[in-house]
Amino acid sequence: MFDLTGKSALVTGASGGIGAEIARALHGAGATVGLSGTRTEPLEALAAELGARTHVLPCNLSIPADVEGLVKRAAEAMGAVDILVNNAGITRDGLVMRMSDEDWQAVIDVNLTATFRLCRAAVRGMMKARWGRIVNISSVVGTTGNPGQVNYAASKAGMVGLSKSLAAEVASRGITVNCVAPGFIETAMTDKLNDQQRAGILTAVPAGRMGTPQEIAAAVLYLAAPEAGYVTGATLHVNGGMAMI
Amino acid sequence: MSDIADRVKKIVVEHLGVEEDKVTESASFIDDLGADSLDTVELVMAFEEEFGIEIPDDAAETIQTFGDAVKFISEAA
């Protein structure tokens, strides 16, 4: 099950915890993977770990020209982009009254606008191929909201609306567009929490623990696979029961 | 028939999977050749690629028939 042999996948934010695990899962299923991220070193390390069928594609998603060129570079390196995983994301948290325009815009640019640009570029080749998979990594807070994260939550809710609209546009061409919405996952982003914050979060999670990057990667793998061809415009929530939606 | 018309016809036939003799001057992509809105976008993108031209959205909207496409491309290319 879930055989991606012969498919090429571009994963953004592959230098991060969840992105690296997504790349491992897709690669493990036989896909060629394009590893994108801002920091070259962890991308090179991941490529070395995975071995064959990997391409390192550094890209700063806050620079529009870089974003525009990324899908082209990936297609040149891998022959095509059959699977696009928009996983890269940033936070610039702050209460709304103290949030600057810059902090708002930076998060919208990287999380939402770059996702739009990469989808637009990738869909072209997928339409010709009559097959494609786009998986956008949203977040539980896009649905529930979270104090201190108006920018992040707006960007993640925006990804859901984008995905549903795009899904409707391209469904007839064998292309699916879905979201995976992680809850609290053990990553560098949640490592910053102190014990008290951590305990507070866990009281809201019926599973009683944080999720793992592997559990997010498994959801992405499913949505990227041929078996999920009839699933589109969906958001798969992976949050330990924290929000049952 | 001009070279441009031949090339446009080839794209239309391949893309929409229609018989060549159905692609007449006045054949509407949507009404006569069974294209949906996404097909028309794809056709315009294919024309841009084949002829190395830019077809802006407002111009693309005026390209309804095979004849429209040949006329626009002949003027632009």
Coordinates of all heavy atoms in Angstrom, one line a residue, chain B residues 8-68:
Chain B
V8 N -2.5 25.5 -34.4 CA -3.6 25.7 -33.4 C -4.6 24.5 -33.5 O -5.0 24.0 -32.4 CB -4.4 27.1 -33.7 CG1 -5.6 27.1 -32.9 CG2 -3.5 28.3 -33.5
K9 N -4.9 24.1 -34.7 CA -5.8 23.0 -34.8 C -5.3 21.7 -34.2 O -6.0 21.0 -33.5 CB -6.1 22.7 -36.3 CG -7.1 21.6 -36.5 CD -7.5 21.5 -38.0 CE -8.6 22.4 -38.4 NZ -9.1 22.2 -39.7
K10 N -4.0 21.5 -34.4 CA -3.3 20.3 -33.8 C -3.5 20.3 -32.2 O -3.8 19.3 -31.6 CB -1.8 20.3 -34.2 CG -1.1 19.1 -33.8 CD 0.2 19.0 -34.7 CE 1.0 17.8 -34.2 NZ 1.8 18.0 -33.0
I11 N -3.2 21.5 -31.7 CA -3.3 21.6 -30.2 C -4.8 21.4 -29.7 O -5.0 20.6 -28.8 CB -2.9 23.1 -29.7 CG1 -1.4 23.2 -29.9 CG2 -3.3 23.3 -28.3 CD1 -0.9 24.7 -29.7
V12 N -5.7 21.9 -30.5 CA -7.2 21.8 -30.1 C -7.6 20.3 -30.2 O -8.2 19.8 -29.3 CB -8.1 22.7 -31.0 CG1 -9.5 22.4 -30.7 CG2 -7.7 24.1 -30.7
V13 N -7.2 19.7 -31.3 CA -7.5 18.3 -31.5 C -6.9 17.4 -30.5 O -7.6 16.6 -29.9 CB -7.1 17.8 -33.0 CG1 -7.1 16.3 -33.1 CG2 -7.9 18.5 -34.0
E14 N -5.7 17.6 -30.2 CA -5.0 16.8 -29.2 C -5.6 17.0 -27.8 O -5.9 16.1 -27.0 CB -3.5 17.2 -29.1 CG -2.6 16.3 -30.0 CD -1.2 16.8 -30.0 OE1 -0.8 17.5 -29.1 OE2 -0.5 16.4 -31.0
H15 N -5.8 18.3 -27.5 CA -6.2 18.6 -26.1 C -7.7 18.2 -25.8 O -8.0 17.7 -24.8 CB -6.0 20.1 -25.8 CG -6.2 20.4 -24.4 ND1 -5.2 20.3 -23.5 CD2 -7.3 20.6 -23.7 CE1 -5.7 20.5 -22.3 NE2 -7.0 20.7 -22.3
L16 N -8.6 18.5 -26.8 CA -10.0 18.2 -26.5 C -10.4 16.9 -27.0 O -11.5 16.4 -26.8 CB -10.8 19.3 -27.2 CG -10.6 20.8 -26.6 CD1 -11.5 21.8 -27.4 CD2 -10.8 20.8 -25.1
G17 N -9.5 16.2 -27.8 CA -9.8 14.9 -28.3 C -11.0 14.9 -29.2 O -11.9 14.0 -29.1
V18 N -11.1 15.9 -30.1 CA -12.2 16.0 -31.1 C -11.7 15.6 -32.5 O -10.5 15.6 -32.7 CB -12.8 17.4 -31.1 CG1 -13.5 17.6 -29.8 CG2 -11.7 18.5 -31.3
E19 N -12.6 15.3 -33.4 CA -12.3 15.0 -34.8 C -11.8 16.3 -35.4 O -12.3 17.4 -35.2 CB -13.5 14.5 -35.5 CG -14.0 13.2 -35.0 CD -13.1 12.0 -35.3 OE1 -12.3 12.1 -36.3 OE2 -13.0 11.1 -34.4
E20 N -10.8 16.2 -36.3 CA -10.2 17.4 -36.9 C -11.3 18.2 -37.7 O -11.3 19.4 -37.7 CB -9.1 16.9 -37.9 CG -8.0 18.0 -38.0 CD -6.8 17.5 -38.8 OE1 -6.3 16.4 -38.5 OE2 -6.5 18.2 -39.7
D21 N -12.2 17.5 -38.4 CA -13.2 18.2 -39.2 C -14.2 19.0 -38.4 O -15.0 19.8 -39.0 CB -13.8 17.3 -40.3 CG -14.5 16.1 -39.6 OD1 -14.7 16.1 -38.4 OD2 -14.9 15.1 -40.4
K22 N -14.3 18.7 -37.1 CA -15.2 19.5 -36.2 C -14.6 20.8 -35.9 O -15.3 21.8 -35.5 CB -15.4 18.7 -34.9 CG -16.2 17.4 -35.0 CD -17.6 17.7 -34.7 CE -18.6 16.5 -34.8 NZ -18.1 15.2 -35.0
V23 N -13.3 21.0 -36.1 CA -12.6 22.2 -35.7 C -12.7 23.2 -36.9 O -11.8 23.3 -37.7 CB -11.2 22.0 -35.3 CG1 -10.5 23.3 -34.7 CG2 -11.1 20.9 -34.2
T24 N -13.8 23.8 -37.0 CA -14.1 24.8 -38.1 C -13.8 26.2 -37.6 O -13.8 26.4 -36.4 CB -15.5 24.7 -38.6 OG1 -16.4 24.9 -37.5 CG2 -15.8 23.3 -39.2
E25 N -13.8 27.1 -38.5 CA -13.6 28.5 -38.2 C -14.5 29.0 -37.1 O -14.0 29.7 -36.2 CB -13.9 29.3 -39.5 CG -13.7 30.8 -39.4 CD -12.2 31.2 -39.7 OE1 -11.4 30.4 -40.1 OE2 -11.9 32.4 -39.3
S26 N -15.7 28.7 -37.2 CA -16.7 29.2 -36.2 C -17.0 28.3 -35.0 O -17.8 28.6 -34.2 CB -18.0 29.5 -36.9 OG -18.5 28.3 -37.5
A27 N -16.2 27.2 -34.9 CA -16.5 26.2 -33.9 C -16.1 26.8 -32.5 O -15.0 27.3 -32.3 CB -15.7 24.9 -34.1
S28 N -17.1 26.9 -31.6 CA -16.9 27.4 -30.3 C -16.3 26.3 -29.4 O -16.8 25.1 -29.4 CB -18.2 27.8 -29.7 OG -18.1 27.8 -28.3
F29 N -15.2 26.6 -28.7 CA -14.5 25.6 -27.9 C -15.5 25.0 -26.9 O -15.5 23.8 -26.7 CB -13.3 26.2 -27.1 CG -12.2 26.7 -28.0 CD1 -11.8 28.0 -28.0 CD2 -11.7 25.8 -28.9 CE1 -10.7 28.4 -28.8 CE2 -10.6 26.2 -29.8 CZ -10.2 27.5 -29.7
I30 N -16.3 25.9 -26.2 CA -17.2 25.4 -25.2 C -18.5 24.8 -25.7 O -18.8 23.6 -25.4 CB -17.5 26.5 -24.2 CG1 -16.2 26.8 -23.4 CG2 -18.7 26.1 -23.2 CD1 -16.3 28.0 -22.4
D31 N -19.1 25.5 -26.7 CA -20.5 25.0 -27.1 C -20.4 23.9 -28.2 O -21.2 23.0 -28.2 CB -21.2 26.2 -27.8 CG -21.5 27.3 -26.7 OD1 -21.6 26.9 -25.5 OD2 -21.7 28.4 -27.1
D32 N -19.3 23.9 -29.0 CA -19.3 22.9 -30.1 C -18.2 21.8 -29.8 O -18.4 20.7 -30.3 CB -18.9 23.6 -31.4 CG -20.0 24.7 -31.8 OD1 -21.2 24.4 -31.6 OD2 -19.6 25.8 -32.3
L33 N -17.2 22.1 -29.1 CA -16.1 21.2 -29.0 C -16.0 20.6 -27.6 O -15.1 19.8 -27.3 CB -14.7 21.8 -29.3 CG -14.7 22.4 -30.8 CD1 -13.4 23.1 -31.1 CD2 -14.9 21.3 -31.8
G34 N -17.0 20.9 -26.7 CA -17.1 20.2 -25.4 C -16.0 20.6 -24.4 O -15.8 19.9 -23.4
A35 N -15.4 21.8 -24.5 CA -14.5 22.3 -23.6 C -15.1 22.8 -22.3 O -16.2 23.3 -22.4 CB -13.6 23.4 -24.2
D36 N -14.5 22.6 -21.1 CA -15.0 23.2 -19.9 C -14.1 24.4 -19.7 O -13.1 24.7 -20.4 CB -15.1 22.3 -18.7 CG -13.7 21.7 -18.3 OD1 -12.7 22.3 -18.7 OD2 -13.7 20.7 -17.6
S37 N -14.4 25.2 -18.6 CA -13.6 26.4 -18.4 C -12.1 26.1 -18.1 O -11.3 26.9 -18.5 CB -14.2 27.2 -17.2 OG -14.1 26.4 -16.0
L38 N -11.8 25.0 -17.5 CA -10.4 24.7 -17.3 C -9.7 24.3 -18.6 O -8.6 24.7 -18.8 CB -10.4 23.5 -16.3 CG -9.2 23.3 -15.5 CD1 -8.9 24.6 -14.7 CD2 -9.4 22.2 -14.5
D39 N -10.5 23.7 -19.5 CA -9.9 23.4 -20.8 C -9.5 24.7 -21.6 O -8.5 24.7 -22.2 CB -10.9 22.6 -21.7 CG -11.1 21.2 -21.3 OD1 -10.1 20.5 -21.0 OD2 -12.3 20.7 -21.2
T40 N -10.4 25.7 -21.5 CA -10.1 26.9 -22.2 C -8.8 27.6 -21.6 O -8.0 28.1 -22.4 CB -11.2 27.9 -22.1 OG1 -11.5 28.2 -20.8 CG2 -12.5 27.3 -22.8
V41 N -8.6 27.5 -20.3 CA -7.4 28.0 -19.7 C -6.2 27.2 -20.2 O -5.1 27.8 -20.5 CB -7.5 27.9 -18.1 CG1 -6.1 28.3 -17.5 CG2 -8.5 28.8 -17.6
E42 N -6.4 25.9 -20.2 CA -5.2 25.0 -20.7 C -4.9 25.3 -22.2 O -3.7 25.3 -22.5 CB -5.6 23.6 -20.5 CG -5.5 23.1 -19.1 CD -5.7 21.6 -18.9 OE1 -6.9 21.2 -18.9 OE2 -4.8 20.9 -18.8
L43 N -5.9 25.5 -23.0 CA -5.7 25.8 -24.4 C -4.9 27.1 -24.5 O -3.9 27.2 -25.3 CB -7.1 26.0 -25.1 CG -7.8 24.6 -25.5 CD1 -9.1 24.9 -26.1 CD2 -6.9 23.8 -26.5
V44 N -5.3 28.1 -23.8 CA -4.6 29.4 -23.9 C -3.2 29.2 -23.4 O -2.2 29.8 -24.1 CB -5.3 30.5 -23.0 CG1 -4.4 31.7 -22.7 CG2 -6.6 30.9 -23.6
M45 N -2.9 28.5 -22.4 CA -1.6 28.2 -21.9 C -0.8 27.4 -23.0 O 0.4 27.7 -23.2 CB -1.5 27.5 -20.6 CG -2.0 28.4 -19.4 SD -2.0 27.7 -17.7 CE -1.7 26.0 -18.0
A46 N -1.4 26.5 -23.7 CA -0.8 25.7 -24.7 C -0.4 26.6 -25.9 O 0.6 26.5 -26.5 CB -1.7 24.6 -25.2
F47 N -1.4 27.6 -26.2 CA -1.1 28.5 -27.3 C 0.1 29.4 -27.0 O 1.0 29.6 -27.8 CB -2.3 29.4 -27.6 CG -3.5 28.7 -28.1 CD1 -4.8 29.2 -27.8 CD2 -3.4 27.5 -28.8 CE1 -5.9 28.5 -28.3 CE2 -4.6 26.8 -29.2 CZ -5.8 27.3 -29.0
E48 N 0.1 29.8 -25.7 CA 1.3 30.7 -25.3 C 2.6 30.0 -25.4 O 3.6 30.5 -25.9 CB 1.1 31.1 -23.8 CG -0.1 32.1 -23.6 CD -0.3 32.5 -22.2 OE1 0.0 31.7 -21.3 OE2 -0.6 33.7 -21.9
E49 N 2.6 28.7 -25.0 CA 3.8 27.9 -25.1 C 4.2 27.7 -26.5 O 5.4 27.9 -26.9 CB 3.6 26.6 -24.4 CG 4.7 26.1 -23.6 CD 4.3 25.1 -22.6 OE1 3.8 25.4 -21.5 OE2 4.3 23.9 -22.9
E50 N 3.3 27.3 -27.4 CA 3.6 26.9 -28.8 C 4.1 28.1 -29.5 O 5.0 28.0 -30.3 CB 2.3 26.3 -29.4 CG 2.4 26.1 -30.9 CD 3.2 24.9 -31.3 OE1 3.4 24.0 -30.5 OE2 3.6 24.8 -32.5
F51 N 3.5 29.3 -29.3 CA 3.8 30.4 -30.1 C 4.7 31.4 -29.4 O 5.1 32.5 -30.0 CB 2.5 31.1 -30.6 CG 1.7 30.2 -31.6 CD1 0.7 29.5 -31.1 CD2 2.1 30.1 -32.9 CE1 -0.1 28.7 -31.9 CE2 1.3 29.2 -33.7 CZ 0.3 28.5 -33.2
G52 N 5.1 31.2 -28.2 CA 6.0 32.1 -27.4 C 5.4 33.4 -27.3 O 6.1 34.5 -27.4
I53 N 4.1 33.5 -27.0 CA 3.4 34.8 -26.8 C 2.7 34.9 -25.5 O 2.6 33.8 -24.8 CB 2.3 35.0 -27.9 CG1 1.3 33.9 -27.9 CG2 3.0 35.2 -29.3 CD1 0.1 34.1 -28.8
E54 N 2.3 36.1 -25.1 CA 1.6 36.3 -23.8 C 0.1 36.6 -24.2 O -0.1 37.4 -25.1 CB 2.1 37.4 -23.0 CG 3.4 37.2 -22.3 CD 3.2 36.5 -20.9 OE1 2.1 36.8 -20.3 OE2 4.0 35.7 -20.5
I55 N -0.8 35.8 -23.7 CA -2.2 36.1 -23.9 C -2.8 36.6 -22.6 O -3.1 35.8 -21.8 CB -3.0 34.9 -24.5 CG1 -2.3 34.4 -25.7 CG2 -4.4 35.3 -24.8 CD1 -2.9 33.1 -26.3
P56 N -3.0 37.9 -22.5 CA -3.6 38.5 -21.2 C -5.0 38.0 -21.0 O -5.7 37.6 -22.0 CB -3.6 40.0 -21.4 CG -2.9 40.3 -22.7 CD -2.8 39.0 -23.5
D57 N -5.4 38.0 -19.7 CA -6.8 37.4 -19.4 C -7.9 38.1 -20.2 O -8.8 37.4 -20.6 CB -7.0 37.6 -17.9 CG -6.3 36.6 -17.1 OD1 -5.7 35.6 -17.7 OD2 -6.2 36.7 -15.9
D58 N -7.8 39.4 -20.4 CA -9.0 40.1 -21.1 C -9.0 39.7 -22.5 O -10.1 39.5 -23.1 CB -9.0 41.6 -20.9 CG -7.6 42.2 -21.2 OD1 -6.6 41.4 -21.4 OD2 -7.5 43.4 -21.4
A59 N -7.8 39.4 -23.1 CA -7.8 38.9 -24.5 C -8.3 37.5 -24.5 O -9.0 37.1 -25.4 CB -6.4 39.0 -25.0
A60 N -7.9 36.7 -23.5 CA -8.2 35.2 -23.5 C -9.8 35.1 -23.5 O -10.3 34.2 -24.1 CB -7.6 34.6 -22.3
E61 N -10.4 36.0 -22.8 CA -11.9 35.9 -22.7 C -12.6 36.1 -24.1 O -13.7 35.6 -24.3 CB -12.4 37.0 -21.8 CG -12.3 36.6 -20.3 CD -12.6 37.8 -19.4 OE1 -13.3 38.7 -19.8 OE2 -12.0 37.7 -18.3
T62 N -11.9 36.8 -25.0 CA -12.5 37.1 -26.3 C -12.2 35.9 -27.3 O -12.8 35.9 -28.4 CB -11.9 38.4 -27.0 OG1 -10.5 38.1 -27.3 CG2 -12.0 39.6 -26.0
I63 N -11.4 35.0 -26.9 CA -11.1 33.8 -27.8 C -12.1 32.7 -27.5 O -11.9 31.9 -26.6 CB -9.6 33.4 -27.5 CG1 -8.6 34.5 -27.8 CG2 -9.3 32.1 -28.4 CD1 -7.2 34.1 -27.6
Q64 N -13.2 32.8 -28.2 CA -14.3 31.8 -28.0 C -14.3 30.7 -29.0 O -14.7 29.5 -28.7 CB -15.6 32.5 -28.1 CG -15.8 33.7 -27.1 CD -16.1 33.3 -25.7 OE1 -16.6 32.2 -25.5 NE2 -15.7 34.1 -24.8
T65 N -13.8 31.0 -30.2 CA -13.9 30.0 -31.3 C -12.5 29.7 -31.9 O -11.5 30.4 -31.6 CB -14.7 30.5 -32.5 OG1 -14.0 31.6 -33.1 CG2 -16.1 30.9 -32.0
F66 N -12.4 28.6 -32.7 CA -11.1 28.3 -33.3 C -10.6 29.5 -34.2 O -9.5 29.9 -34.1 CB -11.3 27.1 -34.2 CG -10.1 26.7 -35.1 CD1 -8.9 26.4 -34.5 CD2 -10.3 26.8 -36.4 CE1 -7.8 26.1 -35.3 CE2 -9.2 26.5 -37.3 CZ -8.0 26.1 -36.7
G67 N -11.6 30.1 -34.9 CA -11.2 31.3 -35.7 C -10.7 32.4 -34.9 O -9.7 33.1 -35.3
D68 N -11.3 32.7 -33.7 CA -10.8 33.7 -32.8 C -9.4 33.5 -32.4 O -8.5 34.4 -32.4 CB -11.6 33.8 -31.5 CG -13.1 34.2 -31.7 OD1 -13.4 34.8 -32.7 OD2 -13.9 33.9 -30.8

